[in-house]
Amino acid sequence: MKEIFEWKRLLLNDLPWTFLAEVSFRTVVMFIVVLTTLKLTGKRGVKQLSVFEVVIIISLGSAAGDPMFYEDVGLLPAITVFLIILFMYRGVTWLLGKSKKFENFMEGVPICIIEDGQFSLASFEKEDLAQDEFFAELRLRGIEHIGQVRYAYIETNGAISVYFYDDADVKFGLPIRPQPFNRKSTEIPKSGIYACSFCANTQRLEPTSGTCTVCNNKEWVTAINVKRVK
């Protein structure tokens, strides 16, 4: 029968002291696994927090939780996990301050997603960001069409920064409200200025159909150039 406050069981759960070496190895491996996995999920998976901050939260939360209520998890292995995470945290923050390449890898760099009223295709396709989700972010800032936007950036924490055209410089652009955007079509009913539904490039088109000169898309939406409501 087990006794209360049986110190060997409480601290190491009857495991040998050498088990702490295995805990150290497991912690390093899992820290790298979690860090790499969250890095690969992209910015949208860790919005408002850096990848490294999320790793720390998950690692410490997991290390603290199990020994609180699992009898077969000793306290010393959990404390060892905390010490190793603290050591790795200090090491990573030191590297962030010393190496710009490492900082860019860990924190990322701002990505220009809209430039001069249309999408930067290379950036938009590279980022794990659905078009509907991006449009929702813009609508929350009172944007009705892409022609109102001079530049938009996805910041390193996943937030979106927007720089607007002055009212006098607003150009024809792709509507992002659901009602007009969902009327996209491959048919051009009448002559006018249309916006590509994929890249937001604007072109003057004649009736029948047209192909975007930027991305070769064939679906169009009637472009608008209304001023932004402030």
Side-chain angles (χ1 to χ4, degrees), residues 21-64:
E22 181 177 335
V23 171
S24 301
F25 176 76
R26 291 180 185 222
T27 303
V28 172
V29 171
M30 291 310 300
F31 185 94
I32 294 172
V33 169
V34 173
L35 182 64
T36 303
T37 301
L38 286 173
K39 175 63 182 177
L40 293 176
T41 62
K43 297 183 183 69
R44 67 181 292 189
V46 292
K47 182 173 284 189
Q48 307 305 326
L49 290 174
S50 71
V51 171
F52 188 50
E53 289 169 335
V54 174
V55 171
I56 294 298
I57 291 170
I58 292 176
S59 300
L60 294 181
S62 179

Side-chain angles (χ1 to χ4, degrees), residues 188-196 201-203 205 220-223:
I188 307 301
K190 61 181 181 179
S191 299
I193 298 177
Y194 293 82
C196 172
N201 172 49
T202 55
Q203 295 179 208
L205 299 175
W220 298 89
V221 181
T222 302

Side-chain angles (χ1 to χ4, degrees), residues 112-121 123 146 149-153 165 171 199-200:
C112 183
I113 205 74
I114 293 179
E115 186 172 2
D116 294 330
Q118 69 182 61
F119 293 123
S120 175
L121 283 182
S123 300
I146 303 298
V149 180
R150 185 168 187 173
Y151 297 106
Y153 293 88
Y165 280 112
K171 57 175 67 175
C199 72

Side-chain angles (χ1 to χ4, degrees), residues 30-225:
M30 291 310 300
F31 185 94
I32 294 172
V33 169
V34 173
L35 182 64
T36 303
T37 301
L38 286 173
K39 175 63 182 177
L40 293 176
T41 62
K43 297 183 183 69
R44 67 181 292 189
V46 292
K47 182 173 284 189
Q48 307 305 326
L49 290 174
S50 71
V51 171
F52 188 50
E53 289 169 335
V54 174
V55 171
I56 294 298
I57 291 170
I58 292 176
S59 300
L60 294 181
S62 179
D66 290 351
M68 288 182 182
F69 54 87
Y70 283 127
E71 180 182 325
D72 58 346
V73 178
L75 294 179
L76 285 184
I79 293 171
T80 302
V81 170
F82 269 74
L83 292 175
I84 293 171
I85 290 175
L86 178 61
F87 173 78
M88 297 189 73
Y89 171 78
R90 295 292 187 184
V92 170
T93 52
W94 181 83
L95 283 174
L96 287 173
K98 295 294 183 180
S99 172
K100 188 64 177 178
K101 289 184 178 179
F102 185 70
E103 181 184 5
N104 289 343
F105 172 75
M106 289 295 301
E107 303 292 345
V109 295
I111 302 296
C112 183
I113 205 74
I114 293 179
E115 186 172 2
D116 294 330
Q118 69 182 61
F119 293 123
S120 175
L121 283 182
S123 300
F124 195 80
E125 291 175 347
K126 183 172 64 176
E127 290 298 312
D128 183 18
L129 185 67
Q131 190 181 60
D132 288 346
E133 180 182 358
F134 184 61
F135 284 177
E137 293 275 1
L138 296 182
R139 289 195 297 268
L140 289 172
R141 289 165 171 76
I143 298 168
E144 188 172 352
H145 64 92
I146 303 298
Q148 296 172 337
V149 180
R150 185 168 187 173
Y151 297 106
Y153 293 88
I154 297 181
E155 303 294 349
T156 57
N157 65 352
I160 295 175
S161 300
V162 180
Y163 295 84
F164 297 100
Y165 280 112
D166 291 334
D167 285 348
D169 298 323
V170 169
K171 57 175 67 175
F172 279 91
L174 174 69
I176 61 175
R177 291 190 300 110
Q179 295 87 341
F181 181 81
N182 290 336
R183 290 197 289 267
K184 59 186 177 182
S185 174
T186 57
E187 298 297 323
I188 307 301
K190 61 181 181 179
S191 299
I193 298 177
Y194 293 82
C196 172
S197 64
F198 182 72
C199 72
N201 172 49
T202 55
Q203 295 179 208
R204 177 170 289 279
L205 299 175
E206 300 300 324
T208 64
S209 61
T211 300
C212 178
T213 57
V214 174
C215 68
N216 296 320
N217 179 52
K218 295 185 177 180
E219 287 189 321
W220 298 89
V221 181
T222 302
I224 59 176
N225 67 338

